[in-house]
Amino acid sequence: MYVLAAVAGVVLWWLVYGKLRWLAALLTYSLFRIPAGTSLGSSVEFFLYDTPKVMMLLLIVVYGVGIIRSFFTPERTRDMLSGKSELFGNVLAALLGIVTPFCSCSAVPLFIGFVTAGVPLGVTFSFLISAPMVNEIALALLYGLLGWKVAALYLVTGLLIAIISGWVIGRLHMEKHIEDWVMQIRAGAASGQDETLTWHDRFVYGWDAVKDIIGRVWKYVIIGIAVGAGIHGFVPEGLMASIMGKGDWWSVPLATIVGVPMYSNAAGIIPVVEALLGKGAALGTVLAFMMSVIALSLPEMIILRKVLKPRMIQVFVGVVGGGILLVGYLFNMII
């Protein structure tokens, strides 16, 4: 019964998804009567096409990963990371970050849970970097909007930044730079909730993930696509290439710095990335901008300050920022 419903749902999703471009053009040029070939028409068509496309991608990916997540509760994730050798723990933590929920609002309790459970500090940071930056939303949208090559490059480089940054932070032995009150907390017992879930429960869990995640990110999606639509329609061809192109050495650090004060997530920033690339910006520069917005946002630093002392925050920003700059220059050099 569940299998038949899932197959019917995927077929319906695919049929609707395949008609989105036709529907966007119909609404823009026939219903709204905006002249074709104008900046306004191009922006409106971009917005009407990308908004349902991004929402449908989020729907199917978040639902599928939500079911997978039902096997990885925070308690089980914490237990899996405890007691592992450090480098193996860095790799495992970065991989778990892909399928485990994490955002700014959950940073503090997750960090406390991992540290008090005895997870090495460097391993914890590998997870903290990977979870917001290399999650299913980022990968699904990059695949849907920019193709599998860009999604694969982002996956590999994001995981490398998380693994290497966590390993470096672990080598620095900076446990004394965690706030004292965090170290005084003892981890609670694991709930074992995942062991009692039936498949019906897991499908419900997946649907709850859809309502929770899309309920939180839809505003960012709309804003991001609106900004992207403005860039797509009104920014002259070649302008972004002159500002964010390969030729200027300062474009990568500037894009990284500009991204830090912004508060968005992958769902909101990727439509902007799509529009920037379409206007000639270099891939490495745009990836550095995107990673900076997601992994080094100022609001997230403020939240982490509750559990980390200023020196630890500085090292975190320095190590992750260095990795982002390296990715930006590397991709600008080879692509």
Side-chain angles (χ1 to χ4, degrees):
M1 181 66 180
Y2 290 124
V3 174
L4 290 176
V7 171
V10 170
V11 170
L12 179 62
W13 182 94
W14 185 255
L15 291 175
V16 175
Y17 188 83
K19 296 294 183 183
L20 291 179
R21 187 177 293 279
W22 169 81
L23 182 60
L26 179 69
L27 291 173
T28 304
Y29 303 115
S30 298
L31 181 63
F32 299 145
R33 298 184 180 281
I34 300 174
T38 61
S39 296
L40 179 61
S42 180
S43 291
V44 171
E45 184 181 9
F46 182 97
F47 183 83
L48 293 178
Y49 174 56
D50 266 36
T51 301
K53 183 173 72 171
V54 170
M55 290 298 184
M56 289 184 69
L57 285 169
L58 285 176
L59 172 66
I60 195 165
V61 173
V62 171
Y63 183 66
V65 177
I67 294 173
I68 296 173
R69 275 180 178 163
S70 67
F71 294 93
F72 296 93
T73 63
E75 292 79 10
R76 171 168 284 186
T77 303
R78 183 186 63 194
D79 293 342
M80 291 177 68
L81 296 178
S82 301
K84 302 293 187 301
S85 65
E86 192 152 351
L87 183 57
F88 178 74
N90 291 124
V91 175
L92 182 60
L95 293 173
L96 283 172
I98 300 175
V99 295
T100 308
F102 175 82
C103 64
S104 299
C105 57
S106 57
V108 173
L110 274 175
F111 187 89
I112 293 172
F114 288 173
V115 171
T116 55
V119 177
L121 187 61
V123 174
T124 299
F125 270 100
S126 287
F127 181 84
L128 291 182
I129 296 166
S130 168
M133 188 161 68
V134 194
N135 57 44
E136 83 281 9
I137 296 176
L139 296 176
L141 294 185
L142 283 172
Y143 173 77
L145 299 178
L146 301 173
W148 70 269
K149 290 183 179 178
V150 175
L153 288 172
Y154 187 82
L155 170 65
V156 172
T157 54
L159 286 176
L160 285 176
I161 289 176
I163 293 169
I164 295 173
S165 297
W167 184 82
V168 170
I169 290 173
R171 294 298 87 201
L172 294 176
H173 301 293
M174 300 189 69
E175 283 77 6
K176 65 180 180 181
H177 294 285
I178 299 173
E179 291 290 347
D180 295 336
W181 68 271
V182 176
M183 304 304 291
Q184 295 169 359
I185 298 176
R186 293 292 178 265
S191 68
Q193 176 187 356
D194 55 305
E195 297 177 359
T196 63
L197 293 179
T198 65
W199 274 105
H200 176 268
D201 296 331
R202 298 189 191 282
F203 283 123
V204 172
Y205 190 97
W207 183 245
D208 288 342
V210 169
K211 292 188 291 185
D212 177 42
I213 293 177
I214 295 183
R216 284 189 283 114
V217 306
W218 71 269
K219 294 178 183 176
Y220 298 101
V221 172
I222 299 296
I223 294 172
I225 294 174
V227 173
I231 295 172
H232 181 79
F234 290 93
V235 173
E237 294 286 344
L239 177 61
M240 297 312 301
S242 65
I243 300 175
M244 302 181 73
K246 297 180 181 180
D248 299 311
W249 67 267
W250 44 263
S251 64
V252 173
L254 179 62
T256 304
I257 293 172
V258 168
V260 171
M262 296 186 178
Y263 182 59
S264 183
N265 48 38
I269 201 65
I270 288 178
V272 178
V273 167
E274 177 193 16
L276 290 174
L277 289 174
K279 291 296 180 181
L283 178 61
T285 306
V286 173
L287 283 181
F289 171 71
M290 176 181 167
M291 288 179 167
S292 173
V293 171
I294 298 174
L296 289 179
S297 71
L298 184 60
E300 187 170 325
M301 296 303 107
I302 294 173
I303 293 174
L304 285 176
R305 176 63 187 91
K306 295 177 182 177
V307 294
L308 302 177
K309 295 179 180 177
R311 178 63 62 86
M312 186 75 251
I313 296 280
Q314 293 170 7
V315 170
F316 173 72
V317 172
V319 172
V320 177
I324 291 174
L325 291 176
L326 184 62
V327 168
Y329 283 121
L330 182 64
F331 280 105
N332 279 353
M333 186 182 304
I334 63 178
I335 296 180

